[in-house]
Amino acid sequence: MQTRIIDGNAIARELRAGLRKRAATLAAKGVRAGLAVIRVGDHPASSVYVRNKIKACGEVGIDSQDIQLPATTDESILLERIGVLNEDPRVHGILVQLPFPPTLSSERVFEAIDPLKDVDGFHPINVGRLAIGHPRFVPCTPLGVMKLFEHEGIGLEGRHAVVVGRSNIVGKPMALLRLQSGATVTICNSKTPDLGAMTREAEILVVAAGKPRLVT
């Protein structure tokens, strides 16, 4: 089998060029797209993720807010801040960067975000829409994987797709997107007996289990 390395950075640049045109079209109509990102605490990886998101917004002409709150922030204060952003007409997308401090309930936080502004796709309504095949917002990592397939002309219909990982952020939505593309989907995780046998059967394999070298 010939190995082909997919250049995700090059594909991202192409996608951003298209987004830049779309943002300019909106701006010409008097609508300046706006994203608000909330960070709670100073998790190092979160800082990197948010910095990249803010940079990407600037590159395509989207306004952005980087709202940082201390790790000791009471949940009621965070929910109140989300409520203000829900009502702000200048903000079209809201995301609260994971991971959260253990004092916060991710369920209550995600439910507080207006489903029409929930660009991470974590609100129960958006999760449900994805499950029934009418997605509005889709979690970014699974959507990014699907964009890679699309760009490279990799068809999923009729193929055996194996997903290793069962998280609400990657594994489950990844499996749903593949089902909707006509693939036969097997979902595994780190506890799956004889995982190697499952992954060897895959025509297309995506691993997102958070455990290095799980697949050898």
Side-chain angles (χ1 to χ4, degrees):
M1 179 185 295
Q2 184 177 3
T3 299
R4 176 173 49 162
I5 298 176
I6 300 173
D7 188 343
N9 287 327
I11 297 171
R13 285 192 293 270
E14 289 183 25
L15 290 172
R16 288 177 184 172
L19 291 173
R20 191 179 303 114
K21 293 178 181 178
R22 293 172 63 187
T25 300
L26 284 173
K29 297 178 181 179
V31 179
R32 179 80 175 181
L35 173 71
V37 183
I38 302 177
R39 282 186 289 163
V40 184
D42 54 358
H43 191 279
S46 293
S47 298
V48 174
Y49 295 148
V50 172
R51 183 168 65 245
N52 289 338
K53 289 170 184 175
I54 297 300
K55 179 182 177 183
C57 284
E59 290 175 354
V60 300
I62 295 175
D63 290 337
S64 59
Q65 301 179 43
D66 179 6
I67 303 167
Q68 185 165 13
L69 303 175
T72 55
T73 299
D74 187 80
E75 187 175 286
S76 62
I77 300 298
L78 174 58
L79 298 182
E80 181 180 347
R81 192 64 178 268
I82 292 172
V84 171
L85 295 172
N86 283 340
E87 299 300 323
D88 189 340
R90 299 168 300 175
V91 175
H92 303 91
I94 302 168
L95 63 88
V96 184
Q97 183 65 45
L98 293 168
F100 297 155
T103 54
L104 300 178
S105 163
S106 59
E107 181 178 356
R108 286 191 290 270
V109 171
F110 293 144
E111 287 182 352
I113 300 173
D114 184 339
L116 296 177
K117 296 187 177 186
D118 167 43
V119 291
D120 259 339
F122 295 157
H123 190 285
I125 288 177
N126 288 325
V127 174
R129 289 182 64 95
L130 175 60
I132 64 173
H134 299 289
R136 177 189 289 131
F137 294 114
V138 178
C140 62
T141 300
L143 182 59
V145 173
M146 296 300 289
K147 290 292 184 182
L148 292 176
F149 289 146
E150 179 184 328
H151 185 275
E152 297 298 304
I154 300 171
L156 299 179
E157 188 172 357
R159 303 180 77 175
H160 184 198
V162 175
V163 178
V164 183
R166 55 184 175 181
S167 72
N168 293 329
I169 299 170
V170 182
K172 291 177 184 176
M174 185 79 261
L176 288 169
L177 288 171
R178 289 176 164 211
L179 279 172
Q180 291 162 20
S181 296
T184 298
V185 180
T186 300
I187 306 175
C188 305
N189 58 71
S190 60
K191 304 295 190 298
T192 298
D194 199 357
L195 179 62
M198 294 289 190
T199 58
R200 285 190 294 272
E201 290 181 1
E203 294 178 86
I204 298 175
L205 173 66
V206 171
V207 183
K211 187 174 181 180
R213 303 185 185 280
L214 180 63
V215 176
T216 62

